[in-house]
Amino acid sequence: MAQDSKALADSLIDMLEQPLLEEGYDLLDIRVFRGGGRVTLRIYLDTKDGISIGQCSKADRSVDYLLKESEL
């Protein structure tokens, strides 16, 4: 299962890195947690000036849209 989570994280990084970079975010890492019938993503982002709550919220919407479009 850990290998599946790592493979999923790697796929997500490949998919999300460029679009997030275009929005001004550096994608540092993605961690995938499975449990209770759910999959939880923890996405680590930064910008050259740090990151605000508003930027986190905007990035969340972007990631949500990209994930829905990819049908993962």
Side-chain angles (χ1 to χ4, degrees), residues 33-64:
F33 302 93
R34 297 175 189 264
R38 301 174 34 159
V39 175
T40 301
L41 303 178
R42 188 170 294 160
I43 300 173
Y44 297 88
L45 301 173
D46 202 0
T47 71
K48 63 181 177 135
D49 299 318
I51 194 160
S52 69
I53 295 294
Q55 288 170 309
C56 286
S57 181
K58 181 181 175 198
D60 177 64
R61 288 189 300 274
S62 296
V63 168
D64 184 55

Side-chain angles (χ1 to χ4, degrees), residues 6 15 20 28 37-38 44 49-50 52 57 62 69 71-72:
K6 175 73 171 124
M15 181 180 74
L20 288 171
L28 305 176
R38 301 174 34 159
Y44 297 88
D49 299 318
S52 69
S57 181
S62 296
E69 287 295 308
E71 298 179 9
L72 279 178

